[in-house]
Amino acid sequence: MTLLDGYLPPLLVIAAALIFGLVFKAYERRHRIRTSAIVIALVIGVMVALELGMGRPVSYQNGPVRLWSGDVASDENSQQIADAYTFTHVIHGALFYGLTRLLIGPAPIALRVVVAITLEAAWEALENTDMVINRYRAATVSLGYYGDSVTNSVADVLACLVGFLLTWKLPRSATITWVVATEVILAWWIRDNLTLNIIMLVYPIEAIQRWQLGG
């Protein structure tokens, strides 16, 4: 077990966000959007540094870097810029919008974006620890999963940002519709989605795994 494993990487991401937020707090009133953008960039930078420290590759190592990889069973999944699982990160953005509205609803939207991206970056750091990678390989359909490329992780964080902004701008009914539709399409397309992913990580069900493997 390396030093950068377990819950330490996501805690470091959250700590960095708090430090950056305090450092830039003096400029928040006049330059709120600029300050938030700087903090988000720094948080992503910390996530990138941690993933590199954990040995994750910058990009796909066995061929050219592509914008899209559609085969979730190939070694390009989670290595190219985007793949089917990118859509689950867009849903993360919708969920984090709802969570920040519930917990810090009166806060400016710029602060809520920073909180959402910090949570997403912390998850990406946690997801790329050996602890979680081994859990994915043992309990989910991702039997060949060996972590994300840094490029893929950054794209996932940006996908979360897209989901957050969509939810902010769209009516609640529209957000519910696209989130449910995305989950249904992913279940039909790749036999996986955010809901199934969470279930299989937390409490694996053998019948679901058999179905996901084509049984």
Side-chain angles (χ1 to χ4, degrees), residues 1-211:
M1 182 175 181
T2 64
L3 179 62
L4 292 178
D5 197 10
Y7 298 104
L8 179 60
L11 290 176
L12 289 174
V13 171
I14 293 171
L18 291 173
I19 293 170
F20 296 145
L22 290 173
V23 169
F24 286 99
K25 186 173 178 58
Y27 302 94
E28 182 181 356
R29 290 183 180 275
R30 292 184 180 179
H31 308 288
R32 184 170 289 159
I33 295 177
R34 184 190 306 173
T35 298
S36 298
I38 292 172
V39 172
I40 286 172
L42 290 172
V43 167
I44 293 175
V46 170
M47 179 199 77
V48 167
L50 287 169
E51 290 190 10
L52 290 174
M54 289 186 279
R56 304 301 160 241
V58 174
S59 59
Y60 182 54
Q61 301 292 290
N62 300 321
V65 175
R66 304 181 191 279
L67 178 62
W68 172 258
S69 171
D71 184 0
V72 297
S74 77
D75 69 344
E76 296 186 51
N77 191 61
S78 296
Q79 299 299 302
Q80 299 290 9
I81 296 172
D83 51 52
Y85 286 99
T86 301
F87 296 108
T88 67
H89 293 274
V90 181
I91 297 176
H92 286 184
L95 296 178
F96 289 151
Y97 178 90
L99 181 64
T100 57
R101 182 173 182 177
L102 178 66
L103 298 180
I104 53 171
I109 193 68
L111 175 59
R112 289 171 57 193
V113 170
V114 171
V115 172
I117 295 305
T118 298
L119 292 174
E120 181 70 3
W123 164 248
E124 284 295 317
L126 177 62
E127 186 181 38
N128 281 282
T129 60
D130 289 338
M131 177 183 74
V132 175
I133 289 172
N134 291 335
R135 179 66 174 174
Y136 267 117
R137 291 171 64 89
T140 76
V141 71
S142 303
L143 303 178
Y145 181 67
Y146 53 96
D148 299 344
S149 70
V150 173
T151 301
N152 181 264
S153 279
V154 172
D156 286 345
V157 174
L158 296 179
C160 174
L161 176 60
V162 170
F164 186 99
L165 296 177
L166 279 175
T167 307
W168 175 41
K169 289 297 186 180
L170 292 174
R172 183 181 302 178
S173 58
T175 296
I176 293 172
T177 298
W178 72 254
V179 167
V180 172
T182 301
E183 286 285 86
V184 170
I185 291 170
L186 287 174
W188 168 78
W189 177 20
I190 62 172
R191 298 197 179 198
D192 203 5
N193 56 28
L194 182 58
T195 303
L196 292 171
N197 204 273
I198 293 171
I199 291 172
M200 296 302 288
L201 271 178
V202 175
Y203 190 80
I205 298 173
E206 186 178 350
I208 292 178
Q209 188 177 44
R210 284 201 306 269
W211 172 72

